[in-house]
Amino acid sequence: MPDPLRIGLAGLGTVGVGVIRLLDTNRDLLAARAGRPIELVAVSARDRHRERGIDLSPYGWEDDMAALAQRDDVDVVVELVGGSDGPALTLARAALGAGKPLVTANKAMIAHHGLALAELAEARDVALKFEAAVAGGIPVVKGLREGTSANKLERIYGILNGTCNYILSTMEDTGADFAEVLGEAQAKGYAEADPTFDIEGIDAAHKLAILAAIGFGARIDFDAVRTTGITRVQAADIAQADTLGYVIRLIAMTDVEPDESGAPRLLQRVRPCLVPKSHPLASVDGPTNAVVAEGNFSGRLLFQGAGAGEGPTASAVVADLIDIARDEVGAPFSIPVASLAKMAPAEPGHRMERTYLRFTVADRPGVLAEIAAAMRDAGVSIESLIQKARSDDGGDVLVAMVTHEGPERCVTQALALLEGSDSLTAQPLVLPILPD
Amino acid sequence: MPDPLRIGLAGLGTVGVGVIRLLDTNRDLLAARAGRPIELVAVSARDRHRERGIDLSPYGWEDDMAALAQRDDVDVVVELVGGSDGPALTLARAALGAGKPLVTANKAMIAHHGLALAELAEARDVALKFEAAVAGGIPVVKGLREGTSANKLERIYGILNGTCNYILSTMEDTGADFAEVLGEAQAKGYAEADPTFDIEGIDAAHKLAILAAIGFGARIDFDAVRTTGITRVQAADIAQADTLGYVIRLIAMTDVEPDESGAPRLLQRVRPCLVPKSHPLASVDGPTNAVVAEGNFSGRLLFQGAGAGEGPTASAVVADLIDIARDEVGAPFSIPVASLAKMAPAEPGHRMERTYLRFTVADRPGVLAEIAAAMRDAGVSIESLIQKARSDDGGDVLVAMVTHEGPERCVTQALALLEGSDSLTAQPLVLPILPD
């Protein structure tokens, strides 16, 4: 039997424990597929004595995570600590700096420091792998790097945050409002005590920035992701969307378009959208994730599965370890960092889309006329039904409408015209409609 | 710039032409991702002078396909000729025998000769790749080999034949009968002039046998696939299924279960099934393919996309070429052929399932009683509605029912009891119901 691949693992939360369970449960099968045993030799976490439901006695222990990288008996470091900086980043640098492959599930770290880490990995000719950082158990990093590798991708989009998807699809099923469903999701462990990263779309933005880099050969530009969360979606919006033949999902989307000079510009957005019920993403419910990649030869490909959780995320981490054991690893972002293009952010104002608009207004005469006049003056053509409904909090009235396809900037301009109006009692909600 | 990877391509049908177009259209991008240019140097096909809409003058020509393998300027051979034996197999053996990697889209050849070819490839330490042989543009071979590699797979199933799926979903949309939709599919090029391989489930069986080998580490056993085609599905069945909350799809499914001695046994089946409308496969329409893999850690993963066609299949072929250029190739079936287990076919009689049964009967008293008695005597419990409808061909009456969950052998036994009965005017149709 060839030499084992020896693992040092930092971080013993849900995913870390999952990796240990997986390495144990599927031991023989992993050895067969990897061509050599994969053996955990040492672990590290903040608290050695916390009860985790697994026996850590077979493994060495390091109080200092970064010391894992220095151990002679560790071939590969697995980082499951989390956080874009701090101990995770220190460990990542230590591992790659010591010429050891690094496997991580840390989307924030890769979104912020992925290029620098990849440069370090490439300089040392060691692997940096992060399948688990995007969409949990779905092999979408491999899917883009290897599956769609022959294609110029037109567009990558999908549902990248299970918490938001759980909340939106539960609101849809139960008619409950956002706050209630969020509380329930927190109780069930689908949402963090501080849910900001999830519900504000930041987690999805981290993942999108990574997919954009791999799919388009662009330098990661997390700061350029235009991000809108789901906190302002009301039960009434979901009901209106349903009437119109849509569901509401938090959609992360990225594409590339040339500017006037022909230079590629990268658009990255995370926004709640109306998704036609006939679209494959409309039936993605609960904490499931799904990614669509549209290639110039492959056409539309869909990857769907569990976006988080102990088992699925561990599955992705260990798949990376198998790649390393097989010595099937290349550039972390598919092409070398030096070849990634620096793309300026695209300005989407000229893009054509249909839009759902919902205004919260005082219940008095003339309000509709004022909104309609602003739409007309901005060149926004209203396609369908202006409907009224009570707001979730009871007091005001909601007015919802769908526009004909038109440039995004016209909607922005219409809203600017209405800004400061006494008639609007809250900021309007703008939800683009995903094309079928 | 490093040396190009030089390709010799045999077969200039739809897919061959697609590969040439792709290599040309995405040239720079392929070179960036592969780390070196991918260059077509020579081609071969049956007829040199057929009009194909592309210029072949830049490439060398071989009248004898197998001569491609001998050319000094060819590094990799791409086989797109088709057919399980004959020139395709001769070329495959010649390429691998000459120590050159082989990329093929030929499901029949891999299903019948894949193990022997993989042994040859492993002995010469060269790549044998066949992503395009299964599910067209969907990277499901890579998905199983690399994406789900950390998992013991519980089950692999999906829609693997676009022709059947087009026919069934069109019957569903239009209410037209099988023969009419088949004719239309042939006119549109979705079905071959001789559609036997597709509509009898043989094409899906080829693909399933390949997925089973990769997913379960089993020696390919195409002859053991239990295959039922879609030719006996009537418009009335689709209507009945719809009433009950199902659609009908041709489902290929494989799993492994231990026998009494604990030895793994492989079940491989291709059958039209009732799929609950809430299941992700129910919304797979037209010529789309989709594969579900259920892993013991990943949970359910779904891969979906175009199952055939010039662009998608070319995308899969060229992705394999990129893997080869990157030198990221391992055992063709994920583990070495010598390690694949020889698994006897599983006997599914004890398996529990719910079943849709449709009888074509003479329209006279006593028929229902006779059927019901046979069900009772065989221990089959009828769950729901016995409905009557006119047969597609007008004369007889259809009686459809759904059973409670029970062992498959009971249904088989009930049908045996009814065999030879004067009441039945045609062989009953048995469609299992896919669990949600």
Side-chain angles (χ1 to χ4, degrees):
Chain A
M1 182 58 100
D3 288 342
L5 187 73
R6 299 167 303 173
I7 312 299
L9 187 158
L12 293 170
T14 308
V15 180
V17 169
V19 169
I20 295 176
R21 289 213 176 102
L22 199 169
L23 291 176
D24 189 48
T25 306
N26 291 353
R27 172 175 305 277
D28 294 344
L29 178 152
L30 297 177
R33 296 205 183 132
R36 52 202 281 209
I38 298 180
E39 268 179 25
L40 182 62
V41 295
V43 297
S44 177
R46 242 156 287 176
D47 177 359
R48 182 167 186 171
H49 301 291
R50 205 178 114 201
E51 179 48 44
R52 297 178 171 95
I54 49 165
D55 176 15
L56 295 177
S57 64
Y59 317 116
W61 177 271
E62 296 291 345
D63 283 322
D64 172 16
M65 284 176 191
L68 284 175
Q70 308 309 328
R71 287 177 68 114
D72 286 340
D73 62 354
V74 165
D75 302 315
V76 179
V77 172
V78 176
E79 183 280 305
L80 303 171
V81 180
S84 61
D85 295 80
L89 185 59
T90 304
L91 174 60
R93 286 177 178 149
L96 297 171
K100 295 187 180 180
L102 180 78
V103 173
T104 177
N106 190 331
K107 57 219 77 169
M109 181 175 77
I110 297 298
H112 286 282
H113 306 290
L115 296 184
L117 292 174
E119 276 172 344
L120 194 51
E122 289 171 13
R124 296 302 187 108
D125 197 21
V126 294
L128 166 64
K129 305 274 292 174
F130 41 81
E131 181 63 73
V134 184
I138 311 173
V140 66
V141 169
K142 295 183 208 302
L144 293 188
R145 188 183 170 281
E146 289 142 50
T148 68
S149 56
N151 291 268
K152 179 172 188 303
L153 294 182
E154 318 281 6
R155 208 157 60 131
I156 306 167
Y157 63 102
I159 293 170
L160 294 177
N161 184 273
T163 304
C164 288
N165 209 59
Y166 173 83
I167 292 172
L168 291 172
S169 61
T170 305
M171 287 173 73
E172 190 179 303
D173 292 343
T174 63
D177 72 14
F178 177 79
E180 185 184 333
V181 177
L182 172 60
E184 188 192 304
Q186 288 172 312
K188 285 190 182 174
Y190 290 156
E192 308 276 343
D194 176 359
T196 311
F197 263 43
D198 290 319
I199 63 177
E200 295 297 353
I202 301 163
D203 173 78
H206 285 145
K207 297 166 180 169
L208 183 69
I210 296 170
L211 293 182
I214 300 169
F216 300 126
R219 291 181 67 86
I220 286 190
D221 190 1
F222 169 70
D223 292 334
V225 185
R226 294 159 177 255
T227 305
T228 308
I230 63 165
T231 58
R232 296 181 54 243
V233 176
Q234 296 191 10
D237 295 311
I238 289 175
Q240 294 284 0
D242 180 58
T243 307
L244 296 163
Y246 300 94
V247 298
I248 299 180
R249 295 285 181 269
L250 183 69
I251 302 292
M253 179 177 297
T254 178
D255 62 27
V256 171
E257 66 173 6
D259 63 16
E260 300 78 24
S261 73
R265 285 179 168 251
L266 183 63
L267 186 64
Q268 304 174 90
R269 302 212 267 206
V270 175
R271 304 184 289 179
C273 293
L274 263 61
V275 178
K277 287 179 184 172
S278 57
H279 192 287
L281 293 184
S283 50
V284 176
D285 291 329
T288 303
N289 278 197
V291 179
V292 174
E294 293 175 353
N296 66 339
F297 279 78
S298 65
R300 180 190 281 179
L301 290 170
L302 172 74
F303 303 86
Q304 184 173 321
E310 176 180 318
T313 312
S315 165
V317 168
V318 178
D320 279 349
L321 292 174
I322 293 173
D323 282 351
I324 291 169
R326 287 170 166 170
D327 204 18
E328 293 180 12
V329 290
F333 292 98
S334 183
I335 62 174
V337 174
S339 303
L340 294 172
K342 182 155 179 48
M343 296 186 195
E347 289 301 328
H350 64 284
R351 297 213 179 192
M352 303 297 279
E353 68 182 14
R354 293 171 65 227
T355 311
Y356 166 92
L357 291 165
R358 185 258 292 158
F359 300 92
T360 311
V361 301
D363 194 4
R364 66 168 189 238
V367 170
L368 272 184
E370 185 182 344
I371 293 173
M375 295 289 153
R376 178 201 60 211
D377 294 347
V380 176
S381 167
I382 296 168
E383 172 189 303
S384 71
L385 66 169
I386 299 182
Q387 294 206 350
K388 287 187 173 192
R390 282 281 146 201
S391 165
D392 280 10
D393 51 20
D396 297 310
V397 168
L398 304 184
V399 174
M401 63 186 67
V402 168
T403 71
H404 276 293
E405 191 175 74
E408 292 186 27
R409 71 164 68 88
C410 294
V411 169
T412 310
Q413 194 188 335
L415 297 183
L417 291 174
L418 287 166
E419 197 156 316
S421 160
D422 285 349
S423 303
L424 306 192
T425 58
Q427 204 179 335
L429 180 72
V430 182
L431 303 180
I433 297 180
L434 190 73
D436 207 348
Chain B
M1 183 58 100
D3 288 341
L5 188 72
R6 299 167 304 174
I7 312 300
L9 187 158
L12 293 170
T14 309
V15 180
V17 169
V19 168
I20 295 176
R21 290 213 175 101
L22 199 169
L23 291 175
D24 188 50
T25 307
N26 291 351
R27 172 175 304 278
D28 295 344
L29 179 151
L30 297 176
R33 295 206 184 131
R36 52 201 281 208
I38 298 180
E39 270 178 25
L40 182 61
V41 295
V43 297
S44 176
R46 241 156 289 175
D47 178 359
R48 183 167 187 172
H49 301 290
R50 206 178 113 200
E51 179 48 46
R52 297 180 171 94
I54 50 167
D55 175 16
L56 295 178
S57 64
Y59 318 115
W61 177 271
E62 297 290 346
D63 283 322
D64 172 15
M65 286 178 189
L68 284 175
Q70 309 308 327
R71 286 176 69 113
D72 286 340
D73 62 354
V74 165
D75 301 315
V76 179
V77 171
V78 176
E79 182 280 305
L80 302 171
V81 181
S84 61
D85 294 80
L89 185 60
T90 303
L91 174 60
R93 286 179 179 147
L96 297 171
K100 297 189 179 178
L102 180 77
V103 173
T104 176
N106 190 329
K107 57 219 77 168
M109 181 177 76
I110 297 298
H112 286 282
H113 305 291
L115 296 184
L117 293 174
E119 276 173 345
L120 193 51
E122 290 171 14
R124 295 301 186 107
D125 197 21
V126 293
L128 166 64
K129 307 272 294 173
F130 41 81
E131 181 63 74
V134 184
I138 311 174
V140 66
V141 168
K142 295 184 208 304
L144 293 187
R145 188 183 170 280
E146 289 143 50
T148 68
S149 57
N151 292 269
K152 180 174 187 300
L153 294 182
E154 318 280 7
R155 208 158 59 131
I156 305 167
Y157 63 102
I159 293 170
L160 294 178
N161 184 273
T163 304
C164 288
N165 209 60
Y166 173 83
I167 291 173
L168 291 171
S169 62
T170 304
M171 288 173 73
E172 190 179 304
D173 291 345
T174 63
D177 71 14
F178 176 81
E180 184 185 334
V181 177
L182 172 61
E184 188 192 306
Q186 287 172 313
K188 286 191 182 175
Y190 289 156
E192 307 277 343
D194 176 359
T196 312
F197 264 43
D198 290 319
I199 63 177
E200 294 297 353
I202 300 164
D203 173 78
H206 285 146
K207 297 165 180 169
L208 184 69
I210 297 170
L211 293 182
I214 300 169
F216 299 126
R219 291 180 68 86
I220 285 191
D221 190 1
F222 168 71
D223 292 334
V225 184
R226 294 160 177 254
T227 305
T228 308
I230 63 166
T231 56
R232 296 183 54 245
V233 176
Q234 296 192 8
D237 295 310
I238 289 175
Q240 294 285 0
D242 180 58
T243 307
L244 296 162
Y246 300 93
V247 298
I248 298 181
R249 293 287 181 269
L250 184 69
I251 301 293
M253 177 176 298
T254 177
D255 63 27
V256 171
E257 66 173 6
D259 62 16
E260 301 77 27
S261 74
R265 285 179 169 252
L266 183 63
L267 186 64
Q268 303 174 93
R269 299 211 270 206
V270 175
R271 303 185 287 179
C273 293
L274 263 61
V275 178
K277 288 180 184 171
S278 57
H279 192 286
L281 292 185
S283 49
V284 175
D285 290 330
T288 304
N289 279 197
V291 179
V292 174
E294 293 175 353
N296 65 339
F297 280 78
S298 64
R300 180 191 282 180
L301 289 169
L302 172 74
F303 303 86
Q304 186 174 320
E310 175 180 319
T313 312
S315 165
V317 167
V318 178
D320 279 349
L321 293 175
I322 293 174
D323 282 351
I324 290 170
R326 286 170 167 168
D327 204 18
E328 294 181 10
V329 289
F333 292 98
S334 182
I335 62 175
V337 173
S339 302
L340 294 173
K342 180 152 181 50
M343 295 186 195
E347 288 300 329
H350 63 285
R351 298 213 176 191
M352 303 296 280
E353 68 183 14
R354 293 170 65 226
T355 310
Y356 166 92
L357 291 167
R358 185 258 294 159
F359 300 92
T360 311
V361 300
D363 195 6
R364 65 168 189 239
V367 170
L368 272 184
E370 186 182 345
I371 293 173
M375 295 289 153
R376 178 200 61 209
D377 294 346
V380 176
S381 167
I382 296 166
E383 174 191 301
S384 71
L385 66 168
I386 299 182
Q387 294 204 351
K388 287 187 173 191
R390 282 281 145 201
S391 165
D392 279 11
D393 50 21
D396 298 310
V397 168
L398 304 184
V399 175
M401 63 186 69
V402 169
T403 71
H404 276 290
E405 190 174 76
E408 292 185 26
R409 71 165 67 88
C410 293
V411 169
T412 311
Q413 195 187 335
L415 297 183
L417 290 175
L418 287 165
E419 197 156 316
S421 161
D422 286 349
S423 304
L424 307 192
T425 59
Q427 204 179 335
L429 181 72
V430 182
L431 303 180
I433 297 179
L434 191 72
D436 208 349

